[in-house]
């Protein structure tokens, strides 16, 4: 009966050639009929084609190219998914990866040249939208980023229709919805079932308003029910925290899309669409594997953990009769919290905790300090602590015990410093207070430590913590050192068992406490000890800090340098004229920002095994109709595709070589579509791990125009270059370089399309001669020259410049500026 359905559709408006779906007369569904907030599923007018030829619904190389763009549309939704899940930094990274892959997709039927030759307008709009999305995510503006991604999706959809037909485009759009359902699965697999439910509800709402809804209904009511029913089940399961049920429902819903496609269009086109879905799921697995870190709640909680340490600084300063400094310390917490990302998060997580911390505690602390009310200060500090602890438990969930461990380490440091200043009784009281909180199982710490390791539990509590009060009161320096160090080391080992983002959050709280100690000591005149404390904190970070050092550096070079500079400033201020506690406050802000960067980047060492996502692709392929079509289309591509799929599953299982395996699978999935289309020889080359490739040119120059580098663009890298900057697909590495006057710098092409090295006119020192690849005398001339084919640095070439003027020189790559390809040369005398 289903085969006769196709005949019915042919006569009732859903044509299988160039005529549109659902009686649209060859046009895609109007923008008015689409959701205005679909996250890249809206339809806009089709830009005028430049070299497309006649659109066709017959399977061809153009169909395979359109499928390649479809995977990119799906990846835009991956970025939207990350943004909606609160992973802005990871979303920005993903958009940058899409841009980089696009820039590398050369050849006549590669995504890059194919888009540029189909529509110059869509090409420029697409690149601009990607650049805007990446910048917006980096600036913490996900709604703006999602709007730009909408535009990028429209750009791709328009060229899909130009190269194929409205029919094929609507079928491919249906497959995009199939990939969006699989995003729900990826989130749930990463342990983010709440975010999965939110994304699922958005997918459902978008689908109801999209043309794809009518497309699916046109295939048959049963397909519509088989899609929407499981989609609803997936949302319900996500709300219930049942990741396995989400997985099964997502598989069912996406299979309904595949079955409907075969009902509506010829088998080769449906098979090509199915391959695009497999490619999209491959990227979903990579996304899930990189989301092994916690959500933003842990980063919010880490900020609150820092406040718990800092409020003790205010109390210490008050005890030392430094009331003004104590008041300033308390107010600095207030001021930071008012603009902090954790502010709204705490208020939403627990209104009671929010009120207890800010109004009942922090405001009362400032008042008590002003009034010289000793008991009031103590009570306010306790109230602040209790409110923050409640908030940390609400926001961090299962990570709260690890953050508590970081706080305990900071308080042990406080006790050691108070003891060193002759306050043995205060130090003993701090240790006793920690013991009481531990026995109360504050933040679940006692039970978690005991469950994690009986040995660590006994070492921490029975061997060291219980012995500290007596050691402090007896003035036994050796015993104090032994027990503080022993307890601290046990906690470090406990924190090391957590994922890198969680361990980093704990390390940030500890370091915030130690920086505060250095600031207080300097304020009290103990500058030698203050410098030692700050230096020890720096050495701890340089030693790895349970993965925090590497995680910050991986997440953001800018954040990493700012963190180290702020920590170094604390050390310098302890012996200089700057206010050391102000420096410590600045560092605390940087420690919080660094934690957000690590968490949003997904961290390293996540516990997610995304292999089942790809294993399902393998099982699906073995039973799919496209299996036979691929084997018949080109046996060599078929074998390479299956091998790449198997290797990808193995890499995900083993946790090694995932990036290379994912890239090879992506490229062979792309080429499989060409084989099914009967155009295997037109497929782009496979650049990773071998496999059958086509004849696409992956060179850096692209197109048919003549390009030239101009003065100072040379072959290779000169032997006398003092410094070398690599130009990758969309980045200068390093982005910032310090050189001396007279040094020669070579920028060498290391990846992607051709680049330019173009100084920013108002970004170079006064008196400096303008410089740029192409030998231009101004930025305006350089940009004009680029449009005319001048100033290109292609594969195998380098641009060379010798710097004669000290100062900062800012520069960009013109074609990739929108993707953030910018750099700075700092020239010193």
């Amino acid at each position: 009966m289903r085969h006769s359905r196709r005949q019915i559709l042919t006569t009732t408006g859903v044509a299988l050639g160039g005529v549109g779906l659902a009686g649209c007369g060859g046009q895609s569904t109007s923008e008015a009929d689409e959701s205005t907030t679909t996250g890249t599923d809206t339809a806009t007018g089709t830009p005028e084609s430049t070299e497309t030829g006649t659109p066709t619904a017959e399977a061809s190389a153009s169909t395979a190219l359109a499928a390649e763009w479809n995977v990119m549309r799906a990846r835009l939704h991956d970025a939207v998914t990350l943004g909606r899940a609160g992973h802005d930094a990871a979303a920005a990274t993903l958009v940058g990866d899409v841009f980089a892959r696009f820039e590398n997709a050369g050849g006549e039927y590669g995504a890059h040249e194919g888009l540029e030759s189909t529509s110059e307008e869509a090409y420029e709009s697409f690149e601009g939208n990607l650049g805007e999305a990446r910048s917006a995510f980096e600036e913490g503006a996900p709604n703006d980023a999602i709007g730009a991604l909408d535009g990028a999706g429209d750009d791709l959809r328009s060229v899909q229709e130009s190269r194929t037909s409205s029919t094929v485009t609507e079928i491919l759009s249906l497959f995009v919805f199939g990939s969006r359902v699989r995003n729900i699965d990826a989130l749930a697999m990463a342990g983010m079932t709440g975010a999965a439910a939110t994304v699922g509800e958005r997918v459902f709402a978008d689908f109801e308003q999209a043309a794809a809804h009518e497309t699916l209904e046109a295939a048959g009511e049963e397909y519509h029910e088989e899609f929407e029913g499981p989609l609803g089940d997936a949302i319900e399961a996500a709300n219930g925290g049942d990741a396995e049920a989400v997985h099964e429902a997502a598989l069912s819903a996406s299979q309904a899309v595949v079955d409907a496609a075969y009902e509506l269009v010829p088998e080769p086109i449906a098979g090509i669409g199915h391959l695009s879905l497999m490619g999209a799921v491959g990227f979903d697995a990579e996304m899930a594997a990189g989301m092994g870190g916690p959500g933003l709640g842990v980063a919010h909680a880490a900020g609150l953990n820092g406040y718990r340490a800092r409020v003790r600084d205010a109390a210490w300063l008050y005890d030392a009769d430094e009331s003004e400094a104590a008041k300033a310390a308390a107010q600095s917490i207030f001021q930071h919290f008012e603009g902090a990302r954790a502010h709204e998060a705490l208020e939403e997580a627990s209104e009671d905790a929010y009120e207890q911390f800010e109004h009942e505690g922090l405001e009362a602390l400032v008042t008590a300090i002003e009034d010289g009310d000793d008991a009031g200060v103590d009570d306010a500090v306790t109230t602040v602590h209790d409110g923050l602890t409640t908030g940390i438990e609400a926001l961090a969930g299962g990570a709260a015990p690890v953050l508590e461990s970081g706080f305990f380490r900071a308080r042990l440091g406080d006790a050691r410093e108070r003891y060193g200043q002759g306050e043995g009784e205060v130090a003993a009281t701090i240790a006793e207070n920690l013991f009481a909180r531990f026995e109360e199982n504050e933040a679940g710490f006692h039970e978690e430590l005991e469950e994690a390791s009986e040995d660590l539990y006994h070492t921490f509590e029975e061997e060291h913590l219980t012995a500290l009060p007596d050691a402090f009161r007896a003035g036994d320096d050796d015993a104090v050192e032994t027990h503080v160090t022993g307890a601290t080391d046990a906690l470090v080992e406990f924190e090391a068992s957590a994922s890198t983002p969680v361990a980093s959050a704990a390390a940030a709280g500890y370091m915030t406490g130690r920086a505060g100690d250095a600031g207080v000591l300097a304020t009290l005149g103990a500058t030698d000890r203050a410098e030692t404390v700050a230096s020890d904190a720096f050495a701890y970070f340089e030693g790895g800090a349970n993965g925090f050092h590497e995680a910050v550096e991986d997440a953001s070079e800018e954040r990493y340098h700012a963190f180290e500079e702020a920590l170094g400033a604390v050390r310098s201020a302890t012996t200089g004229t700057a206010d050391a506690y102000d420096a410590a406050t600045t560092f605390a802000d940087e420690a919080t920002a660094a934690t957000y960067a690590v968490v949003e980047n997904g961290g390293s060492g996540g516990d997610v095994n995304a292999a089942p996502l790809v294993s399902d692709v393998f099982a699906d392929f073995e039973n799919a109709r496209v299996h036979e079509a691929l084997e018949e289309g080109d046996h060599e591509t078929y074998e390479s595709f299956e091998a790449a799929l198997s290797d990808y599953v193995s890499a995900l299982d083993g946790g090694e070589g995932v990036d290379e395996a994912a890239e090879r699978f992506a490229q062979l999935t792309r080429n499989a579509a060409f084989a099914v289309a009967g155009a295997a020889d037109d497929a782009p080359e496979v650049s990773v791990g071998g496999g059958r490739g086509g004849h696409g040119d992956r060179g850096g120059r692209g197109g048919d125009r003549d390009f030239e580098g101009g003065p100072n663009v040379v072959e290779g890298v000169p032997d006398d270059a003092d410094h070398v900057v690599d130009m990758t697909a969309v980045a200068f590495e390093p982005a910032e370089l310090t050189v001396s006057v007279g040094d020669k710098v070579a920028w060498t092409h290391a990846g992607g399309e051709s680049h330019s090295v173009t100084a920013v006119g108002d970004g170079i020192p006064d008196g400096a001669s303008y410089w740029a690849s192409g030998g231009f005398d101004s930025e305006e001339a350089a940009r004009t020259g680029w449009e005319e084919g001048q100033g290109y640095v292609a594969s195998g070439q380098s641009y060379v410049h010798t710097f004669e003027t000290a100062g900062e020189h800012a520069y960009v790559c013109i074609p990739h500026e929108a993707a953030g390809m910018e750099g700075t040369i700092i020239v010193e005398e």
Side-chain angles (χ1 to χ4, degrees):
M1 185 170 77
R2 289 185 176 179
H3 286 291
S4 64
R5 177 77 182 171
R6 180 178 295 164
Q7 297 174 344
I8 295 172
L9 294 173
T10 305
T11 62
T12 57
V14 183
L16 300 177
V19 183
L21 286 165
C24 291
Q27 300 297 318
S28 62
T29 304
S30 68
E31 187 172 0
D33 290 336
E34 293 282 356
S35 168
T36 58
T37 56
T38 60
T40 73
D41 273 327
T42 58
T44 61
T46 302
E48 182 180 352
S49 301
T50 55
E51 298 181 24
T52 62
T54 304
T56 177
E58 299 299 323
S60 66
S62 288
T63 317
L65 173 58
E68 187 176 354
W69 288 328
N70 222 51
V71 176
M72 295 179 72
R73 287 176 64 187
R75 293 211 74 198
L76 300 182
H77 279 292
D78 291 347
V80 171
T81 296
L82 288 170
R84 295 200 190 285
H87 289 262
D88 288 353
T93 299
L94 192 153
V95 173
D97 183 62
V98 171
F99 206 128
R101 286 179 52 80
F102 178 69
E103 289 301 306
N104 280 315
E108 180 182 0
Y109 288 103
H112 184 281
E113 289 183 31
L115 179 55
E116 189 173 15
S117 66
T118 302
S119 170
E120 186 74 30
E121 178 186 347
Y123 167 76
E124 293 178 356
S125 177
F126 176 71
E127 287 205 330
N129 280 318
L130 282 187
E132 289 177 18
R134 183 181 185 183
S135 297
F137 276 129
E138 289 175 339
E139 294 165 5
N143 289 336
D144 292 343
I146 290 170
L149 292 174
D150 282 341
D154 292 343
D155 298 328
L156 294 176
R157 178 177 173 135
S158 71
V159 291
Q160 284 178 322
E161 188 163 343
S162 293
R163 291 299 287 254
T164 58
S165 71
S166 59
T167 299
V168 173
T169 302
E170 294 299 349
I171 292 296
L172 291 174
S173 295
L174 189 58
F175 277 107
V176 171
F177 270 101
S179 74
R180 292 183 66 184
V181 172
R182 301 297 282 271
N183 283 348
I184 305 169
D185 188 15
L187 283 172
M189 186 164 289
M192 303 172 65
T193 52
T198 300
V199 169
E201 289 163 359
R202 191 55 176 260
V203 173
F204 199 104
D206 287 351
F207 180 71
E208 288 297 304
Q209 301 181 64
H213 183 278
E214 295 181 11
T215 304
L216 193 59
E217 284 189 327
E221 184 62 32
E222 63 269 36
Y223 299 109
H224 179 268
E225 293 175 357
E226 289 167 6
F227 177 77
E228 282 204 341
L231 175 54
D233 293 341
I235 296 169
E236 182 178 356
N239 277 319
D242 188 344
E244 183 59 34
V246 171
H247 180 63
E248 294 302 322
L251 288 177
S252 296
S254 61
Q255 185 59 46
V257 168
V258 175
D259 294 340
Y262 277 102
E263 190 67 28
L264 290 169
V265 291
E267 287 201 9
I269 295 175
I272 290 169
H274 193 184
L275 286 167
S276 77
L277 176 59
M278 293 180 190
V281 174
F283 282 114
D284 289 346
E286 188 179 24
M287 176 179 69
M291 289 170 62
L296 277 178
V298 168
H300 297 321
L304 303 184
N305 212 32
Y307 296 152
R308 288 203 297 179
R310 290 169 63 184
V311 76
R312 264 62 184 200
D313 296 339
W316 184 2
L317 288 165
Y318 176 81
D319 290 345
D321 294 326
E322 295 286 348
S323 296
E324 287 303 313
K327 178 181 174 181
Q331 288 176 329
S332 73
I333 300 172
F334 205 118
Q335 291 161 358
H336 183 270
F337 181 65
E338 285 305 299
R341 298 172 69 177
H343 185 286
E344 184 177 349
L346 176 60
E347 192 170 9
E348 291 180 355
S350 173
E351 180 71 28
D352 289 342
Y354 170 78
E355 291 291 335
Q356 191 176 15
F357 162 55
E358 185 172 42
H359 301 300
E360 298 169 18
L362 204 52
E363 290 178 1
L365 177 60
V366 174
T367 300
I369 292 171
E370 290 175 334
D371 295 342
D373 182 355
D374 296 357
V377 169
D378 290 341
D379 289 345
V381 168
T382 300
T383 301
V384 167
H385 176 92
D386 291 345
L388 289 172
T389 301
T390 300
I392 289 167
E393 290 176 313
L395 289 165
V402 181
L403 296 186
E404 183 81 352
S405 175
F407 169 72
F408 266 51
R409 285 202 287 143
R411 289 298 282 152
L412 287 169
D414 289 345
R416 173 191 272 164
E417 301 314 323
R418 300 295 290 263
Y419 173 79
Q421 295 302 302
E423 298 181 272
E425 183 59 35
V426 172
T429 301
I430 292 173
E432 289 170 341
N433 181 267
L434 289 177
F435 183 85
R437 292 187 181 281
F438 186 67
E439 287 302 301
E440 291 168 2
N441 195 36
E442 182 175 89
F445 181 34
H446 184 289
E447 290 183 5
E448 185 68 22
L449 179 59
E450 191 171 12
E451 289 178 7
S453 170
E454 281 281 347
D455 289 341
L456 284 179
Y457 166 73
H458 289 298
T459 298
F460 169 69
E461 184 182 41
E462 297 175 6
E463 186 176 343
H464 296 299
L465 185 58
T466 56
L468 270 172
D470 288 343
F472 283 133
R473 290 190 172 101
D476 187 338
D477 294 352
D478 291 341
V480 165
E481 184 63 28
T482 295
H483 294 309
V484 169
T485 300
T488 300
D489 289 348
L491 297 181
V492 170
E493 187 174 346
F494 165 68
E495 293 165 29
S497 64
S499 67
T500 299
V502 174
S504 296
Y510 166 71
M511 294 185 70
T512 295
R514 296 306 281 153
D517 288 346
V520 172
L521 287 165
T523 302
L524 301 182
T527 54
D528 288 346
R529 180 58 188 168
E531 183 182 21
T532 298
V533 170
S535 296
D536 287 348
F538 205 104
Y540 167 73
F541 183 67
E542 289 301 306
N546 270 346
F548 188 27
H549 183 286
E550 184 178 354
V552 177
E553 192 170 13
D554 287 345
S556 169
E557 279 283 341
E558 179 182 357
R559 193 85 278 146
Y560 166 74
H561 289 301
F563 180 91
E564 284 212 328
E565 288 171 8
L567 186 54
V570 175
R571 183 171 55 185
S572 299
T574 58
T575 55
T577 58
D579 188 312
Y581 197 79
D582 280 351
T585 299
T586 299
F587 170 74
D589 296 346
E590 286 298 337
T592 300
T595 305
Y596 276 107
V598 171
V599 170
E600 289 179 318
N601 192 49
S604 56
D607 298 327
V608 176
N609 177 18
L613 289 173
V614 183
S615 295
D616 285 326
V617 172
F618 206 132
D620 182 25
F621 176 69
E622 288 303 304
N623 296 300
R625 293 159 75 170
V626 73
H627 181 284
E628 184 177 350
L630 176 57
E631 191 170 12
E632 292 178 353
D634 188 87
H635 191 74
E636 185 179 346
T637 301
Y638 161 76
E639 290 186 337
S640 297
F641 172 79
E642 278 213 328
L645 186 49
S646 177
D647 291 345
Y648 191 15
V649 174
S650 298
L652 288 166
D653 268 330
E656 296 183 359
V658 172
D659 290 344
E660 181 175 346
E663 179 60 27
R664 184 164 182 261
F665 173 67
Q667 293 187 24
L668 282 159
T669 304
R670 172 202 63 198
N671 286 19
F674 282 87
V676 172
D681 288 342
D682 291 321
E685 296 288 347
V686 174
S687 62
V688 179
R692 192 194 200 290
H695 302 286
D697 174 19
R698 291 186 59 82
R701 299 172 189 267
D704 298 320
R705 296 167 55 190
D706 292 327
F707 301 103
E708 61 182 64
N712 295 332
V713 174
V714 300
E715 297 298 323
V717 179
D719 292 336
D720 61 348
D722 298 298
H723 308 274
V724 177
V725 176
D726 286 336
M727 296 187 288
T728 63
V730 289
F732 293 108
E733 295 181 357
E736 183 178 294
L737 177 67
T738 299
V739 306
S740 299
V741 170
D743 281 359
K744 178 183 290 187
V745 179
W747 286 262
T748 185
H749 187 289
E753 299 291 313
S754 295
H755 298 289
S756 80
V757 183
T758 308
V760 177
D762 59 0
I764 60 177
D766 293 340
S769 299
Y770 185 78
W771 52 275
S773 55
F776 302 102
D777 58 9
S778 69
E779 182 180 358
E780 181 180 3
R783 292 184 180 277
T784 300
W786 175 266
E787 294 301 322
E788 296 174 350
Q790 300 172 354
Y792 281 57
V793 184
S795 179
Q797 296 181 327
S798 298
Y799 164 68
V800 182
H801 179 71
T802 300
F803 287 89
E804 303 293 353
T805 306
E808 290 193 8
H809 297 248
Y811 66 96
V812 301
C813 171
I814 292 173
H816 306 128
E817 185 176 5
M821 193 166 177
E822 304 170 347
T824 304
I825 301 294
I826 301 171
V827 183
E828 298 179 340
E829 296 285 0

